[in-house]
Coordinates of all heavy atoms in Angstrom, one line a residue:
I30 N 4.7 32.2 -27.3 CA 3.7 33.3 -27.4 C 4.4 34.7 -27.5 O 4.0 35.6 -28.2 CB 2.7 33.3 -26.3 CG1 1.7 32.1 -26.5 CG2 1.9 34.6 -26.1 CD1 0.8 31.9 -25.4
K67 N -9.5 46.9 -41.2 CA -10.4 46.0 -40.5 C -9.9 44.6 -40.5 O -10.0 43.8 -39.5 CB -11.8 46.1 -41.1 CG -12.5 47.4 -40.8 CD -13.9 47.4 -41.4 CE -14.6 48.7 -41.1 NZ -16.0 48.8 -41.7
F94 N -6.7 15.5 -28.1 CA -5.3 15.6 -28.1 C -4.8 16.1 -29.5 O -3.9 16.9 -29.6 CB -4.7 14.3 -27.8 CG -3.2 14.3 -27.7 CD1 -2.6 15.0 -26.6 CD2 -2.3 13.7 -28.6 CE1 -1.2 15.1 -26.5 CE2 -1.0 13.7 -28.4 CZ -0.4 14.4 -27.4
N103 N 0.8 24.9 -35.4 CA 0.4 26.1 -36.0 C 1.2 27.3 -35.5 O 1.7 28.2 -36.2 CB -1.1 26.4 -35.9 CG -1.9 25.5 -36.8 OD1 -1.4 24.8 -37.7 ND2 -3.2 25.5 -36.5
L165 N 2.7 7.5 -31.3 CA 3.0 8.9 -31.7 C 4.4 9.0 -32.2 O 5.3 8.5 -31.6 CB 2.8 9.7 -30.4 CG 3.2 11.2 -30.6 CD1 2.1 11.9 -31.4 CD2 3.2 11.9 -29.2
I207 N 14.3 7.1 -29.5 CA 14.7 8.2 -30.4 C 15.7 7.5 -31.4 O 16.7 6.9 -31.1 CB 15.5 9.3 -29.7 CG1 14.5 10.0 -28.7 CG2 16.0 10.4 -30.7 CD1 15.2 11.1 -27.8
G214 N 18.1 13.2 -40.2 CA 17.0 13.6 -39.4 C 16.8 12.7 -38.2 O 17.7 11.9 -37.9
Q218 N 9.6 8.4 -31.1 CA 8.4 7.5 -31.1 C 8.0 7.1 -29.7 O 8.9 6.8 -28.9 CB 8.6 6.2 -32.0 CG 7.4 5.3 -32.0 CD 7.5 4.2 -33.0 OE1 7.7 4.5 -34.2 NE2 7.4 3.0 -32.6

Side-chain angles (χ1 to χ4, degrees):
I30 287 174
K67 288 181 178 179
F94 187 67
N103 289 344
L165 175 68
I207 300 177
Q218 178 166 306

